[in-house]
Amino acid sequence: MHVTHSYDHAGHVDFVGAGPGDPELLTLKALNAFERADVVLHDRLISAEVLALAGKTAVLVDVGKAGFGPSWKQEDIDALLVDYALKGQRVVRLKSGDPTVFGRLDEEIEAVEAAGIPWRIVPGITAASAAVAGIGQSLTRRGRNSSVRFLTGHDMKGFADHDWAALARDGSVAAIYMGKKSARFVQGRLIMHGADRATPVTLVENASRPDQRILATTLDQLPSDLNAAELDGPTLTFYGLAPRQAAQAVTEFKKEHA
């Protein structure tokens, strides 16, 4: 096994979670790896404030992948990781949120492992945790939901399919990543399986960042309200959760005084 927790090797790769965007939400371990890196391969969603914390001599390489748009091929990212590490570089593969949550982590681990390169995972705060804090809610609550589903709005084949019958039951809560483009598809599947049209749906754009926005709607109004809101930043969708009034008010205050 090639997992390592030391810097004794000439070249290695750290898969680091950058968190949701607020640099204060980086872990100390992530910051340490980031500051010592020779090369940082980062996603397109990494905030400028986080990138500014890289070591002064680090080379920053944007290898962002955009859903439904031009992007780096996964095999090219894998090859770049291996190439830098085999040259003796300390490589940080910086991923938005937590690298283990919809981060295409396994493919990259397999590539560096096959090349005999030591690696480790440095977890980060995932978007769902930051976004639910922003709406003043808890992902789970006694008497409401004893589980929460983390879903992706689309996968390599297009819009992702899920257990819609289970999700449609009263009290279900789901955190949907990359869900803006799939909103109408998700709405249709849930209603088809008996979901209450009045089920609360909350979208959090730019969670944890100064320009965070909260859109509170219902399953029935989701596509139309989303279209009207024109959210263009990274957005996390909560199915089954509404923001607390106080949390919504704080967000509105910050927007007005930005």
Side-chain angles (χ1 to χ4, degrees):
M1 188 173 184
H2 298 291
V3 181
T4 181
H5 292 280
S6 71
Y7 287 88
D8 297 335
H9 301 269
H12 69 274
V13 176
D14 285 337
F15 297 97
V16 177
D22 181 349
E24 292 186 348
L25 293 180
L26 279 172
T27 66
L28 292 175
K29 183 169 283 189
L31 184 60
N32 182 54
F34 200 29
E35 289 176 337
R36 298 185 62 174
D38 297 310
V39 182
V40 177
L41 276 61
H42 64 89
D43 289 345
R44 67 183 180 90
L45 296 180
I46 307 297
S47 69
E49 292 81 6
V50 168
L51 290 176
L53 297 175
K56 293 182 180 179
T57 61
V59 175
L60 302 181
V61 183
D62 184 348
V63 293
K65 295 175 72 66
F68 301 106
S71 60
W72 277 65
K73 293 181 179 179
Q74 186 62 56
E75 56 265 32
D76 293 337
I77 298 174
D78 298 344
L80 203 58
L81 281 169
V82 169
D83 183 57
Y84 277 122
L86 288 179
K87 290 176 180 176
Q89 301 291 293
R90 292 176 294 194
V91 184
V92 162
R93 176 66 173 103
L94 194 64
K95 293 175 178 284
S96 181
D98 182 275
T100 70
V101 181
F102 303 123
R104 294 187 175 95
L105 178 63
D106 292 284
E107 297 96 323
E108 295 174 12
I109 287 177
E110 289 163 7
V112 299
E113 199 167 52
I117 298 164
W119 56 272
R120 68 173 177 172
I121 299 170
V122 180
I125 294 176
T126 189
S129 296
V132 82
I135 66 171
Q137 288 282 16
S138 173
L139 284 171
T140 58
R141 178 177 177 174
R142 286 181 296 175
R144 185 192 67 198
N145 65 303
S146 59
S147 65
V148 60
R149 293 173 173 83
F150 283 18
L151 313 176
T152 179
H154 60 84
D155 56 24
M156 294 175 66
K157 299 178 182 178
F159 294 144
D161 234 330
H162 300 286
D163 185 350
W164 302 112
L167 287 166
R169 294 177 191 140
D170 289 344
S172 292
V173 172
I176 306 173
Y177 291 68
M178 300 167 285
K180 285 187 294 185
K181 287 184 172 65
S182 62
R184 188 173 293 279
F185 171 79
V186 169
Q187 179 205 48
R189 288 293 189 274
L190 286 167
I191 291 174
M192 183 189 304
H193 286 82
D196 186 343
R197 289 175 176 267
T199 300
V201 177
T202 303
L203 295 95
V204 183
E205 178 190 41
N206 297 321
S208 83
R209 306 185 190 194
D211 56 350
Q212 173 178 291
R213 285 203 292 166
I214 296 172
L215 173 63
T217 183
T218 63
L219 183 61
D220 187 56
Q221 295 296 316
L222 173 59
S224 57
D225 284 353
L226 178 57
N227 184 61
E230 298 182 343
L231 304 180
D232 57 9
T235 301
L236 194 289
T237 303
F238 288 117
Y239 171 75
L241 288 181
R244 292 188 190 275
Q245 189 173 357
Q248 180 80 56
V250 168
T251 297
E252 293 302 319
F253 177 84
K254 288 180 178 177
K255 271 171 42 184
E256 291 170 7
H257 294 79

